[in-house]
């Protein structure tokens, strides 16, 4: 996994789809308010000038006041409720990737400004008209309040797009691939053979400098990944491996992100490692040569990943002393 440079890491696709749906909902609510705004101006002009010409859209608004009110109410509730639900789920999603910056990534100046702008029309109420001149004045106030509401929706739309970009950047920064050192990180004296006290002492020496990934395999063909972080305690990993198991130590720890042009070393099969975004658990997958593309697609949404050729020459193999597992 060397030379993994430019990463194409990003949020889960489900979140991207939800963001697009929210943007569409906000845009629909804003478009309907523009329609009402234009209708109120047209009706005001009709009442104040006595112009007999009335557009079909204005006639529709006049003939269907209940439908207009219901559409406005549904779109208003959909985009406001959708925004708060989206922001809540965005925080939850970020908690799996960048928990320290989750709140910062979903904050934008547009949110309090939008709250203020949509609050003004909700607080102000016009009086019911008792004459033709009162109706014209009332329509002027309604049009002004609609203009304020349209401005608020526009500001929120700007904010959602900005927050989306902030979230993408936060995840990309958290999952930027680390450059691996050359030569191989496992030192030459890290020998194969028996995973005895001396072998584990070499493990302890290695993790003073880097993370180390181990694959423990038993006679039943069960495989389990163990990741010892830098300055971690190898004893905890050692205690979980049964006698007779085979341990493979790989020179490259898991990486985050994925370069679009990256290709694994040629091999007939690979040991695949995926660190789940939900709980950080390490999952093993046997990957055939024809399954590499599908595995790399899964790696894009994993917290970290590794793809190691079976029988790789730079891997170190040792067997835990003791009876073969029965």
């Amino acid at each position: 996994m060397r030379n993994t440079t430019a990463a194409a890491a990003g949020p889960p696709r489900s979140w991207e789809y939800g963001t697009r749906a929210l943007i569409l909902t906000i845009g629909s609510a804003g478009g309907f308010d523009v329609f009402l705004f234009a209708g109120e101006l047209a009706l005001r002009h009709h009442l104040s000038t006595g112009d007999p010409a009335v557009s079909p859209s204005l006639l529709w608004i006049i003939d269907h006041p209940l439908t207009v009110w219901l559409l406005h109410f549904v779109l208003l509730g959909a985009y406001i409720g959708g925004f708060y639900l989206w922001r809540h789920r965005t925080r939850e999603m970020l908690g799996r990737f960048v928990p320290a910056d989750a709140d910062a990534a979903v904050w934008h100046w547009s949110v309090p400004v939008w709250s203020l702008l949509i609050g003004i029309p909700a607080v102000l109420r016009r009086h019911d008209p008792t004459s033709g001149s009162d109706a014209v004045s009332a329509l002027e106030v309604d049009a002004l309040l609609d203009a304020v509401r349209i401005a608020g929706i526009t500001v929120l739309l700007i904010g959602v797009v900005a927050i989306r970009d902030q979230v993408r950047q936060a995840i990309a920064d958290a999952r930027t691939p680390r450059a691996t050192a050359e030569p191989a990180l496992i030192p030459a004296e890290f020998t194969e053979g028996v995973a005895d006290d001396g072998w584990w002492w070499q493990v302890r020496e290695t993790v003073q400098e880097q993370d180390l990934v181990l694959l423990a395999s038993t006679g039943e063909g069960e495989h389990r990944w163990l990741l010892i972080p830098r300055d971690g305690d190898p004893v905890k990993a050692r205690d979980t491996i049964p006698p007779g198991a085979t341990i493979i130590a790989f020179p490259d720890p898991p990486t985050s992100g994925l370069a679009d042009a990256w290709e694994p070393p040629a091999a007939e099969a690979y040991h695949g490692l995926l660190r789940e975004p939900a709980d950080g658990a390490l999952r093993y997958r046997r990957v055939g040569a024809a399954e590499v593309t599908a595995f790399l697609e899964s790696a894009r949404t994993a917290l970290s990943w590794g793809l190691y050729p079976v029988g790789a020459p730079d891997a170190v193999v040792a067997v835990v002393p003791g009876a073969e597992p029965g």
Side-chain angles (χ1 to χ4, degrees):
M1 292 183 298
R2 302 184 186 284
N3 301 322
T4 311
T5 52
R13 289 183 178 179
S14 59
W15 180 86
E16 292 283 5
Y17 293 148
T19 303
R20 293 172 190 171
L22 175 63
I23 290 174
L24 180 61
T25 303
I26 296 174
S28 299
F32 190 73
D33 271 355
V34 171
F35 171 71
L36 292 182
F37 176 72
E40 287 161 353
L41 292 181
L43 183 57
R44 176 192 176 281
H45 174 76
H46 171 71
L47 293 177
S48 61
T49 63
D51 187 351
V54 180
S55 67
S57 60
L58 179 57
L59 285 176
W60 185 86
I61 293 175
I62 296 172
D63 294 339
H64 302 85
L66 180 59
T67 302
V68 170
W69 181 85
L70 285 175
L71 282 173
H72 183 263
F73 179 79
V74 169
L75 288 172
L76 183 68
Y79 98 84
I80 293 178
F83 170 71
Y84 283 111
L85 178 62
W86 173 80
R87 192 166 65 162
H88 172 72
R89 290 185 174 176
T90 299
R91 282 197 182 98
E92 287 185 340
M93 182 268 294
L94 282 171
R96 303 196 300 265
F97 296 97
V98 285
D101 296 327
D103 289 335
V106 298
W107 188 92
H108 192 262
W109 61 265
S110 59
V111 177
V113 173
W114 162 71
S115 301
L116 175 64
L117 290 176
I118 65 168
I120 293 174
V123 172
L124 296 181
R125 294 288 187 271
R126 64 174 177 85
H127 64 280
D128 293 329
T130 57
S131 65
S133 60
D134 284 346
V136 172
S137 299
L139 286 170
E140 289 177 350
V141 174
D142 280 352
L144 178 61
L145 295 180
D146 273 342
V148 173
R149 189 159 41 238
I150 292 167
I153 293 176
T154 302
V155 167
L156 181 63
L157 193 59
I158 294 171
V160 170
V161 173
I163 292 173
R164 179 190 64 182
D165 293 341
Q166 291 174 182
V167 168
R168 288 173 174 174
Q169 187 61 50
I171 292 178
D173 290 344
R175 301 170 66 181
T176 299
R178 295 173 300 179
T180 54
E182 295 288 351
L185 294 176
I186 294 180
E189 64 269 22
F190 199 94
T191 55
E192 299 189 62
V194 180
D196 53 13
D197 291 342
W199 194 88
W200 283 102
W201 179 85
Q202 295 176 32
V203 170
R204 182 180 296 277
E205 290 294 305
T206 301
V207 297
Q208 300 301 312
E209 304 294 333
Q210 64 160 90
D211 297 346
L212 181 64
V213 62
L214 305 176
L215 179 62
S217 304
T218 65
E220 291 83 4
E222 296 181 356
H223 304 280
R224 183 164 58 92
W225 290 110
L226 298 168
L227 179 61
I228 307 175
R230 182 176 180 178
D231 294 328
D233 185 4
V235 173
K236 295 180 180 179
R238 182 180 185 179
D239 291 342
T240 65
I241 304 175
T246 299
I247 306 174
I248 307 176
F250 294 98
D252 294 312
T255 188
S256 302
L258 179 64
D260 289 331
W262 184 83
E263 294 184 1
E268 295 183 0
Y270 302 85
H271 300 295
L273 180 154
L274 293 172
R275 187 181 179 197
E276 296 290 354
D279 55 8
L282 299 178
R283 183 160 59 91
Y284 175 86
R285 183 190 296 183
R286 180 82 169 192
V287 181
E291 301 170 319
V292 170
T293 301
F295 175 84
L296 294 179
E297 189 63 28
S298 300
R300 292 184 184 277
T301 58
L303 291 179
S304 57
W305 63 278
L307 191 62
Y308 307 97
V310 174
D314 55 354
V316 178
V317 182
V319 177
V320 179
E324 292 290 335

